[in-house]
């Protein structure tokens, strides 16, 4: 049986075939995971196999070399180096395949955290910055996605702090440049927010504050172009993550961000999930940074927020009353016909 057929069996909807393949996989992993890593990388690196198999290989590989496993450090140094360089190459070469590139970026992110916890992946940041600096939006998104996943490493390791100014410049461009895709805008905001959440020094966090207006530009663009609302939700969730951890990050641009969130919360044309994320930002910022919010001129934070929240509450009440009225009418109709409501 070829290794591709073996992977197909692991994905089989037939319980018997899948169980046998899973047992074989676990035996291979326990006996010597090195060849298994090599087989998975071979499938991942070849353009010929089914894209689903390649994505599945990336998932299995992440399970072997990620934070929950210790396989990586049992591999020979040469194999480790080949694995690192091979993953970076696959991510770049398959940037246009969204499913596969996402799985590979997840694997690179996991491996990056593993390697940096016990050493240094010297090529990772230069590679990511090179991807971000390309005009190809798919490749740019790949670089940003990986950086978002290793934000904790970039925040905690002093040798990376010198790259913050260059990174800020690239992130601002990704958020505001004409023609940048929705994925690029969202990933750039994710990198920024993840870094701000992970950086422990308020002085270092302040270096990213000038990006807030660009974050709002990116948010406005994504809201108008995101047909599924999934990307908009991801972006709003990132804004909220910063508020929960370091709400004062928005201090210099609080009025603008607050106004944007009020506009989203009060827009009945938007999905309720997006409006709820906006309200969560408003509440989290007020709860965690109340003194900052009170300093807005003319008590604007409270004065402008309450009408929007009350309007949302009344709309919910009207909806519930409408449902109640319809329910009562059905009950009256059933009662008149001798039936029961239940």
């Amino acid at each position: 049986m070829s290794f591709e057929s073996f992977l197909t069996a692991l994905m089989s909807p037939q319980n018997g075939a899948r169980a046998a393949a899973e047992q074989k996989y676990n035996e291979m992993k326990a006996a010597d995971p090195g060849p298994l890593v090599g087989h998975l990388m071979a499938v991942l690196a070849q353009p010929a196999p089914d894209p689903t198999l390649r994505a599945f290989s990336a998932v299995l590989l992440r399970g072997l070399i990620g934070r929950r496993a210790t396989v990586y450090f049992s591999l020979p140094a040469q194999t480790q180096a080949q694995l690192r360089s091979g993953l970076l190459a696959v991510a770049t070469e398959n940037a246009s395949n969204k499913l596969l590139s996402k799985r590979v970026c997840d694997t690179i992110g996991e491996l990056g955290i593993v390697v940096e916890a016990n050493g240094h992946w010297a090529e990772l940041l230069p590679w990511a910055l090179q991807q971000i600096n390309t005009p190809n939006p798919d490749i740019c998104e790949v670089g940003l996605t990986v950086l978002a996943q290793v934000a904790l490493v970039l925040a905690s390791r002093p040798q990376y702090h010198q790259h913050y100014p260059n990174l800020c410049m690239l992130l601002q461009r990704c958020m505001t440049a004409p023609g940048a895709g929705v994925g690029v805008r969202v990933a750039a905001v994710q990198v920024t927010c993840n870094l701000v959440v992970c950086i422990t020094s308020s002085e270092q966090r302040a270096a990213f504050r000038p990006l807030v207006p660009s974050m709002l530009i990116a948010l406005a663009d994504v809201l108008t172009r995101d047909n599924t609302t999934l990307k908009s939700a991801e972006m709003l969730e990132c804004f909220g993550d910063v508020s929960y951890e370091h709400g004062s990050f928005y201090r210099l641009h609080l009025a603008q961000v607050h106004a944007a969130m009020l506009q989203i919360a009060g827009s009945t044309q938007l999905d309720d999930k997006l409006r709820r994320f906006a309200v969560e930002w408003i509440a989290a910022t007020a709860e965690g940074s109340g003194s900052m919010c009170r300093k807005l001129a003319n008590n604007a934070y409270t004065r402008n927020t309450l009408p929007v929240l009350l309007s949302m509450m009344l709309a919910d009440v009207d909806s519930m009353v409408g449902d109640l009225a319809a329910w009562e009418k059905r009950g009256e109709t059933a009662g008149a016909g001798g039936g029961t409501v239940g």
Side-chain angles (χ1 to χ4, degrees):
M1 178 188 293
S2 68
F3 192 75
E4 287 83 357
S5 299
F6 173 61
L7 290 178
T8 302
L10 278 172
M11 301 170 63
S12 174
Q14 298 179 358
N15 294 335
R18 188 177 65 254
E22 289 173 352
Q23 181 178 352
K24 179 64 174 178
Y25 179 83
N26 290 330
E27 291 173 355
M28 295 170 65
K29 183 168 63 172
D32 185 3
L36 183 57
V37 169
H39 287 312
L40 290 171
M41 270 303 302
V43 173
L44 193 55
Q46 295 175 7
D50 185 330
T52 304
L53 285 183
R54 299 179 72 196
F56 186 50
S57 294
V59 173
L60 294 176
L61 193 58
R62 185 173 77 245
L64 287 174
I65 63 177
R67 285 174 285 183
R68 299 180 181 179
T70 58
V71 169
Y72 175 78
F73 293 107
S74 70
L75 301 174
Q78 182 178 1
T79 304
Q80 292 178 355
Q82 292 173 343
L83 176 62
R84 295 195 304 268
S85 62
L87 284 171
L88 298 182
V90 170
T92 302
E93 294 165 2
N94 296 275
S96 61
N97 184 330
K98 296 301 181 183
L99 174 62
L100 180 57
S101 67
K102 177 64 170 62
R103 298 291 185 267
V104 176
C105 287
D106 289 345
T107 304
I108 293 172
E110 285 273 335
L111 182 59
I113 294 173
V114 168
V115 173
E116 290 286 345
N118 296 275
H120 180 47
W121 190 346
E123 303 84 6
L124 183 59
L125 181 60
W127 170 84
L129 294 176
Q130 183 180 12
Q131 309 312 295
I132 297 171
N133 210 21
T134 61
N136 185 312
D138 292 328
I139 294 178
C140 179
E141 185 178 347
V142 162
L144 290 167
T145 300
V146 169
L147 284 189
Q149 297 197 28
V150 297
L152 179 61
V153 171
L154 300 180
S156 61
R157 302 297 290 269
Q159 66 263 37
Y160 290 122
H161 298 171
Q162 62 181 309
H163 298 284
Y164 285 175
N166 182 41
L167 184 56
C168 284
M169 180 188 67
L170 292 175
L171 290 172
Q172 182 177 37
R173 190 182 69 191
C174 291
M175 293 178 198
T176 60
V182 167
V184 170
R185 305 267 200 240
V186 174
V189 170
Q190 287 175 329
V191 173
T192 304
C193 292
N194 288 1
L195 280 170
V196 171
V197 167
C198 293
I199 292 173
T200 57
S201 165
S202 58
E203 182 178 351
Q204 290 179 346
R205 284 197 302 272
F208 291 85
R209 273 182 174 160
L211 292 178
V212 174
S214 299
M215 292 166 60
L216 291 175
I217 291 173
L219 175 60
D221 184 51
V222 171
L223 283 169
T224 59
R225 296 166 60 191
D226 181 16
N227 295 326
T228 65
T229 74
L230 293 176
K231 292 297 184 181
S232 300
E234 290 178 15
M235 187 176 285
L236 284 168
E237 191 170 9
C238 288
F239 272 81
D241 289 342
V242 172
S243 285
Y244 281 113
E245 297 295 331
H246 306 294
S248 61
F249 173 74
Y250 295 111
R251 184 183 305 278
L252 298 182
H253 307 92
L254 179 61
Q256 297 95 311
V257 183
H258 180 237
M261 295 300 168
L262 284 179
Q263 185 176 359
I264 294 170
S267 178
T268 56
Q269 291 80 23
L270 291 176
D271 186 272
D272 285 346
K273 183 178 182 180
L274 302 183
R275 301 175 68 194
R276 185 169 62 252
F277 275 128
V279 171
E280 288 178 3
W281 182 93
I282 294 168
T285 305
E287 181 179 1
S289 306
S291 60
M292 176 184 74
C293 297
R294 286 191 293 271
K295 290 178 182 178
L296 279 186
N298 301 316
N299 197 28
Y301 202 95
T302 303
R303 193 186 69 241
N304 296 340
T305 297
L306 286 178
V308 174
L309 297 182
L310 287 171
S311 176
M312 295 176 70
M313 291 172 61
L314 289 173
D316 287 341
V317 170
D318 289 341
S319 175
M320 288 186 291
V321 169
D323 292 342
L324 178 60
W327 185 85
E328 290 176 340
K329 185 175 182 179
R330 288 197 300 271
E332 292 170 357
T333 302
T340 60
V341 178

